[in-house]
Amino acid sequence: MATPIIECIDLHKSFADHEVLKGINLKILTNEVVVIIGPSGSGKSTLLRCMNLLNEPTAGKVLFEGYDTSAKDIDINAVRSRMNMVFQNFNLFMHLTALENITLALQKVKKVPKKEAIVLATEALNRVGLTDKENAFPGQLSGGQQQRVAIARCVAMQPDAILFDEPTSALDPELIGEVLDVIKHLAETTGMTMVVVTHEMGFAREVADRVVVMDDGLIIEEGPPNEIFVNPKNERTRIFLRRVLKEIDDMDPLKPKYEGVTLEPEAPSVTFGEPQMMKDENPPSDQGPSGTLGRWFGFRGGRKKK
Ligand SMILES: Nc1ncnc2c1ncn2[C@@H]1O[C@H](COP(=O)(O)OP(=O)(O)OP(=O)(O)O)[C@@H](O)[C@H]1O
Ligand SMILES: [Mg+2]
């Protein structure tokens, strides 16, 4: 088996006495697209943040390209530039143009000379279909375009892996598709390793090589999308998917049901615990599945990668 590019070994993370990750073991292989799904508060963002060194694990470790990221002499910026992250809320500098947002990251983090940074930034904007928006400020762009700039900033760094934390959940429904299209296109054309946390089940089904299901701080099931969505083995996965599908149905009875899902229509009603903030640092998203799924649009974007 190929060496994993990212490996979590018995990863635990607690905030005060609240254990959020309870022993995660996960290997992400080079060129793999792994989609992480699961109820709100199950620890998906915390897992990504531990991978990217934004949260320090309480126990266990994360290996990146075989190196222990908790090692004292690790260069955190170097790790982050090679395992770059796209956030829900874009995190763009509002006083800089689209191009400058990208060149700044290249110059500051990767020490790329300005001229070269401009070339790389222009190429990256081309890739996400924003060639004509180089000189626009974020405030002059739609949410979808801002997220595409954030993705271009990530891509321009030429990372080995990109982590996406609900990249479309802050967007209006009509803008979700364009961002998912860009991510899918990148997956297909660059073969870049991607870990995507999302509530967009259509996207997960279509683009993922592997779907990982989290619940209550643990991975409860993982496998190819066809297995997870058509014939999930874990009862909690079935309950989660039923609830997701029910919310989509409730939202709009005319919307087609998720293709290929064969779960029985009568879903038991289950409530998952609300996320609780224990500490005020980096509060997690307040948009659980219902917030995001309320705006779900079936992702119907052409060919599957492989
Ligand atoms: N910085 C923090 N301080 C205290 N508690 C936190 C912090 N970050 C996350 N948590 C808690 O950890 C749990 C998991 O949060 P996390 O954001 O990882 O869940 P999630 O699966 O990403 O949820 P969602 O789908 O709503 O984004 C929640 O109970 C949350 O309140
Ligand atoms: Mg989250």
Side-chain angles (χ1 to χ4, degrees):
M1 189 165 133
T3 316
I5 182 167
I6 303 168
E7 184 172 4
C8 301
I9 304 172
D10 196 22
L11 192 67
H12 291 250
K13 174 66 184 172
S14 297
F15 294 101
D17 59 357
H18 181 194
E19 191 175 36
V20 172
L21 300 181
K22 301 178 176 176
I24 299 284
N25 290 293
L26 178 64
K27 291 178 183 174
I28 312 284
L29 305 182
T30 304
N31 303 132
E32 214 184 1
V33 177
V34 173
V35 170
I36 302 179
I37 62 172
S40 180
S42 55
K44 306 178 298 294
S45 297
T46 306
L47 175 58
L48 284 198
R49 294 173 66 84
C50 283
M51 287 180 186
N52 199 236
L53 311 180
L54 290 166
N55 283 153
E56 193 183 341
T58 313
K61 53 182 140 183
V62 176
L63 304 185
F64 180 63
E65 295 180 339
Y67 292 98
D68 181 353
T69 58
S70 63
K72 280 201 183 77
D73 55 350
I74 200 88
D75 179 346
I76 290 183
N77 282 334
V79 172
R80 287 201 191 128
S81 70
R82 292 171 62 185
M83 180 173 30
N84 220 321
M85 188 147 161
V86 172
F87 299 89
Q88 199 171 22
N89 291 319
F90 330 136
N91 289 6
L92 296 176
F93 291 111
M94 301 307 279
H95 64 290
L96 298 180
T97 64
L99 192 84
E100 288 165 348
N101 262 284
I102 303 172
T103 53
L104 181 77
L106 286 166
Q107 289 176 266
K108 292 273 179 221
V109 181
K110 287 196 88 175
K111 312 289 177 218
V112 175
K114 189 169 179 185
K115 267 192 180 165
E116 200 184 319
I118 291 174
V119 173
L120 290 172
T122 308
E123 275 172 18
L125 283 172
N126 282 346
R127 265 187 183 280
V128 300
L130 290 177
T131 312
D132 53 339
K133 299 292 183 191
E134 290 186 353
N135 297 318
F137 290 92
Q140 300 169 318
L141 299 172
S142 72
Q145 290 170 333
Q146 289 185 49
Q147 188 59 299
R148 282 150 67 194
V149 173
I151 293 172
R153 179 175 59 185
C154 218
V155 169
M157 304 283 277
Q158 298 173 316
D160 300 319
I162 303 188
L163 312 179
F164 293 88
D165 190 5
E166 293 200 42
T168 59
S169 63
L171 299 177
D172 289 336
E174 68 274 18
L175 304 177
I176 291 176
E178 70 186 60
V179 171
L180 295 181
D181 270 339
V182 161
I183 298 173
K184 179 171 183 276
H185 182 70
L186 281 175
E188 287 174 349
T189 56
T190 65
M192 199 175 276
T193 309
M194 292 183 178
V195 185
V196 188
V197 170
T198 186
H199 291 296
E200 301 291 336
M201 298 299 148
F203 172 83
R205 173 108 200 264
E206 203 169 314
V207 180
D209 295 312
R210 183 157 50 113
V211 175
V212 169
V213 188
M214 285 187 68
D215 189 21
D216 196 22
L218 287 168
I219 292 173
I220 56 168
E221 184 161 6
E222 59 182 296
N226 276 345
E227 262 177 37
I228 300 291
F229 289 115
V230 177
N231 190 21
K233 296 196 174 36
N234 190 299
E235 184 54 22
R236 283 184 291 163
T237 307
R238 299 175 74 85
I239 292 169
F240 170 68
L241 289 174
R242 278 188 190 130
R243 194 175 72 145
V244 166
L245 297 171
K246 188 167 184 307
E247 286 181 24
I248 294 164
D249 279 354
D250 287 351
M251 179 183 69
D252 183 350
L254 297 178
K255 204 150 269 169
K257 281 198 171 120
Y258 186 70
E259 285 168 32
V261 175
T262 55
L263 302 171
E264 303 88 77
E266 262 82 48
S269 87
V270 172
T271 348
F272 290 91
E274 284 299 307
Q276 292 163 12
M277 283 301 295
M278 315 261 319
K279 209 158 78 168
D280 204 11
E281 66 163 271
N282 300 316
S285 132
D286 59 358
Q287 303 202 33
S290 50
T292 326
L293 286 166
R295 301 191 303 241
W296 187 90
F297 277 72
F299 181 74
R300 304 272 179 272
R303 275 181 308 121
K304 171 87 176 73
K305 189 172 68 153
K306 287 165 197 158

